[in-house]
Structures are given as structure tokens and as C-alpha cells.
Amino acid sequence: AALVAPEELASMLAGEAEIDVSDWRRHTLTAGGLRRSSKVFRWFWRAVRSFDTSEREKLLQFGTGTRRPPVGGFAQLQGFNGGVHKFTLCQSNEPRDSLPRAHACICTVDLPEYSSYETMRRAVHIALTMGSVGFDDAAVAAQDDGDGSERAHDVDGDADSGRAR
């Protein structure tokens, strides 16, 4: 029996270290009326190519729940149920120039219409940046109440012993 090298084991457990944008695009499906020939689809991939490695990882995390591609590339991407579920870009009915919306459990990102590439890139970048903030971080602010301890406050500013309700 052959032993597995440490690098191979790390790859099997954590996924591929590098994001191959061509492979990602090749294994992307479209839904909701979005076509591969549409400007939104083309702009999305132009934006992805313009992102650095860290931004691509955040975008992948935003859309799939993981920052690394699976072993075998994007053809092997798994959804919440554990089966292969390809990354999907879906036409959104949200207002023009809105932020994209992700459904990480089904590896899908909803994209509305955008008035320009720059507007779309900015919206996607905001989403991937905000998408890396923890779920509670956006709704709960930790505040020093003067005695050195921190207490969480809900968005209305009322003291609470735990999380915003």
C-alpha cells in the first residue's frame, strides 16, 4: 500500500490550493433565464479574473460555503446534500444594480441586471467582502459598558445577554 504525501492529504481534506478560474467558469451552470452569452455572465467572469487570490477565495466562500475548490476541480463541487452540485449563476429579479445574493447550500449566486461592468464589479466585491463577515457580526455590536466587560446589544441598542433577536 502506498503512503499519501502530506501535501496530497492536505489537498484531499481542504481542497485544491489554487482557484482555476477557467475550470470554475467551464463548470458553471446558468439558471433563471441567465445565458452564458449575456453581458452579466461575461462581466461576472471578467470581475472574477480581476480579483486577487484572496478576493477569489472570499467569492468562492460567499457562493459555496468553502474558500477552496474540491479535489478534482469544480466538476466535483458538492452542495449541502453531499452530492455533486455545480456552481450556478442565476438571473435575479432584484432591482437593477443590487448586490448579488448567494445560496451556498446549492452553490448558487443570484445576479440582477447591472448598468455597467464597474457597477457590477463593485456590487460583487461588496458582497464578497460583507459575505466574509460572520452572520451575527452584522446584527450584533459588542460594546464596552465601562467596567471592562463586553455586552452584546441588538440593532435597537437594547442590552441583551447574548445575541440580537
Side-chain angles (χ1 to χ4, degrees), residues 137-157:
D137 294 345
V140 178
Q143 181 175 327
D144 184 343
D145 63 3
D147 64 0
S149 65
E150 291 187 353
R151 293 174 53 190
H153 294 266
D154 69 19
V155 293
D156 295 327

Side-chain angles (χ1 to χ4, degrees), residues 117-134:
Y117 164 74
E118 292 77 18
T119 301
M120 184 225 225
R121 186 185 187 286
R122 185 171 41 252
V124 171
H125 195 269
I126 289 169
L128 71 89
T129 303
M130 296 305 292
S132 66
V133 174

Side-chain angles (χ1 to χ4, degrees), residues 1-158:
L3 295 177
V4 176
E7 301 81 27
E8 293 173 312
L9 180 59
S11 178
M12 286 188 281
L13 295 174
E16 300 288 343
E18 234 179 87
I19 295 175
D20 180 341
V21 176
S22 295
D23 182 57
W24 190 359
R25 180 178 176 161
R26 185 173 39 258
H27 293 287
T28 294
L29 302 176
T30 58
L34 186 68
R35 296 176 187 257
R36 296 179 81 83
S37 61
S38 74
K39 64 182 178 184
V40 169
F41 184 89
R42 291 190 322 269
W43 287 347
F44 177 84
W45 292 107
R46 181 177 164 195
V48 172
R49 289 188 190 286
S50 77
F51 295 151
D52 64 28
T53 300
S54 174
E55 292 166 325
R56 289 177 185 169
E57 287 175 350
K58 287 178 183 176
L59 179 59
L60 185 58
Q61 175 97 40
F62 174 72
T64 68
T66 183
R67 65 181 184 90
R68 296 180 84 172
V71 174
F74 285 93
Q76 303 304 315
L77 190 63
Q78 292 185 0
F80 179 69
N81 68 1
V84 172
H85 197 293
K86 296 210 177 175
F87 183 78
T88 303
L89 292 176
C90 184
Q91 178 74 41
S92 167
N93 292 322
E94 295 296 319
R96 183 182 197 96
D97 297 334
S98 296
L99 294 177
R101 180 178 296 174
H103 308 277
C105 58
I106 57 171
C107 305
T108 299
V109 174
D110 296 342
L111 297 168
E113 284 293 320
Y114 290 97
S115 55
S116 69
Y117 164 74
E118 292 77 18
T119 301
M120 184 225 225
R121 186 185 187 286
R122 185 171 41 252
V124 171
H125 195 269
I126 289 169
L128 71 89
T129 303
M130 296 305 292
S132 66
V133 174
F135 180 76
D136 288 340
D137 294 345
V140 178
Q143 181 175 327
D144 184 343
D145 63 3
D147 64 0
S149 65
E150 291 187 353
R151 293 174 53 190
H153 294 266
D154 69 19
V155 293
D156 295 327
D158 300 327

